[in-house]
Amino acid sequence: CEHIIRHYTEGWANGFKFKMEYWEIWNEPDLHWNDGKVSPTWGGTAEQFFEFYHIAATHLKKCFPHLKIGGPACSGSMEWTEKFLSQLKAPLDFYSWHCYAPTPEKVMEKAEKVRGFLDKYGFPKAESILNEWNYVLGWLGDDYIYSQEQHAKIKGAAFVAATMSASQRGSIDMLMYYDASPGTPWNGMFSSLPLGKVLKAYYPFPMFNTLYQLGNCVETITEDEGGYICAARNASEAAVLVTHYNNDDSTEAKNFSIDLVGFGDEDGAEVEVYLLDETHDCTFAGKSTYYGDRFSIELPMPNFTSYLLKIKKKQLN
């Protein structure tokens, strides 16, 4: 492992000098099949993995104090997570974990447990990295088939937008959607035939990136169940991502009132509206000008609908 890192970051053995900061030890050592006896990812006991991680992480951190060493890409067992962290004496720059769930609330519930264990057992500075996540209703039978069908559909897209918005206000430091590999049923972003065609779950990423480019997250409060919102701004522009997501497919449409405070003025703010739903792919849906420091925007929102609002202060001639 040491020489693999040296090969890719220090040029050892005709290698490279890539800026690869994060190095994750193992993948899902806690995973077991349904019989609980056979693990496809770790052949030993939990205690044997703990010893392995201690040896590997201690050595690698000594060799590379400037890099971030962590892991172990836990498949999601909170019992295993607590057992691992409670005995850990080795370096842990980040704790990585996976979560597949039908609602953003399930993801956030697990995120807060992870953060709580990290703080409790002496790792308050360790990053919490969710580096596999997607929609899953269940892992067996019809629930599993249904889950795979939703990833590339508008429900999968709404789940992505809602989860990213919820995570912005939580304790997660990084999110890595699983996945964008052509030909897998987990890939809601790009099709395999034709290769690279953009699918529904692609669009929440550029929508969220509009907020990211503005640089400053601002406070958002959601009063409506099933409403997820995230917003950002700079001196002259702002953006809002709002999503209606409820795992119940029979959920009826709602009218959302987006109340914006502290950005506009008497000169006016111009709002462009972009719509992501079953028939629109982050499509321009209209433009209006609003006046005053506080104004409201009314949006019709069937379940699994997302809007991106781009707001600019109006420049007077």
Side-chain angles (χ1 to χ4, degrees):
C1 290
E2 173 192 341
H3 284 86
I4 289 172
I5 295 176
R6 294 197 189 282
H7 177 74
Y8 282 102
T9 66
E10 298 179 356
W12 178 79
N14 298 315
F16 311 91
K17 293 188 177 181
F18 296 141
K19 294 181 179 179
M20 300 170 67
E21 184 179 12
Y22 290 81
W23 290 86
E24 180 181 65
I25 297 174
W26 221 253
N27 179 68
E28 297 190 340
D30 61 315
L31 181 64
H32 291 278
W33 294 130
N34 293 322
D35 59 12
K37 299 177 182 178
V38 180
S39 172
T41 51
W42 177 254
T45 65
E47 288 71 23
Q48 287 172 324
F49 179 82
F50 300 163
E51 180 185 11
F52 162 73
Y53 180 90
H54 183 93
I55 293 170
T58 301
H59 177 75
L60 293 177
K61 192 63 180 178
K62 182 179 179 180
C63 294
F64 310 101
H66 59 293
L67 298 180
K68 293 185 178 181
I69 308 298
C74 174
S75 70
S77 169
M78 290 297 97
E79 181 181 357
W80 193 97
T81 293
E82 183 170 22
K83 191 175 181 181
F84 172 71
L85 293 174
S86 66
Q87 59 78 50
L88 186 60
K89 304 301 180 185
L92 186 78
D93 293 317
F94 64 90
Y95 187 78
S96 53
W97 52 285
H98 302 163
C99 184
Y100 295 91
T103 66
E105 286 75 21
K106 293 289 186 182
V107 178
M108 300 311 300
E109 178 182 340
K110 187 162 288 187
E112 297 316 306
K113 287 183 179 179
V114 169
R115 183 73 263 167
F117 290 148
L118 287 169
D119 295 345
K120 178 180 179 180
Y121 293 111
F123 301 96
K125 295 183 179 180
E127 297 175 45
S128 173
I129 299 180
L130 173 51
N131 59 2
E132 276 193 32
W133 63 279
N134 208 327
Y135 176 87
V136 169
L137 180 62
W139 291 99
L140 298 173
D142 291 341
D143 286 350
Y144 185 69
I145 295 173
Y146 174 84
S147 302
Q148 299 286 354
E149 291 173 343
Q150 301 312 307
H151 294 154
K153 295 182 179 180
I154 192 60
K155 182 173 185 176
F159 177 79
V160 168
T163 300
M164 288 196 292
S165 295
S167 297
Q168 179 65 24
R169 297 193 299 273
S171 61
I172 299 172
D173 293 290
M174 291 188 188
L175 286 172
M176 289 81 171
Y177 172 80
Y178 190 86
D179 63 14
S181 302
T184 75
W186 299 99
N187 180 4
M189 299 178 69
F190 306 104
S191 71
S192 55
L193 292 173
L195 185 64
K197 177 185 176 183
V198 171
L199 303 175
K200 288 292 182 181
Y202 165 83
Y203 292 99
F205 292 93
M207 293 169 82
F208 192 89
N209 186 55
T210 299
L211 277 61
Y212 174 77
Q213 294 296 330
L214 293 174
N216 301 293
C217 183
V218 300
E219 182 182 14
T220 55
I221 299 172
T222 306
E223 296 180 348
D224 200 312
E225 183 180 355
Y228 299 86
I229 191 166
C230 190
R233 65 169 292 175
N234 60 25
S236 60
E237 297 178 86
V240 180
L241 174 61
V242 57
T243 301
H244 182 193
Y245 178 85
N246 190 308
N247 188 47
D248 184 352
D249 294 346
S250 65
T251 300
E252 295 183 356
K254 296 182 179 182
N255 290 321
F256 281 23
S257 179
I258 312 300
D259 193 21
L260 295 104
V261 182
F263 180 79
D265 54 35
E266 65 275 6
D267 294 329
E270 192 173 75
V271 180
E272 293 182 351
V273 179
Y274 296 83
L275 172 61
L276 174 63
D277 64 7
E278 191 69 58
T279 56
H280 298 84
D281 296 331
C282 195
T283 306
F284 177 72
K287 180 169 62 175
S288 301
T289 300
Y290 297 84
Y291 296 90
D293 182 63
R294 181 171 191 156
F295 55 91
S296 295
I297 301 172
E298 304 296 323
L299 298 172
M301 299 198 69
N303 199 16
F304 311 140
T305 298
S306 295
Y307 282 97
L308 175 66
L309 310 179
K310 295 183 179 181
I311 310 167
K312 293 183 180 181
K313 289 187 176 180
K314 198 166 184 179
Q315 301 296 320
L316 296 180
N317 296 327

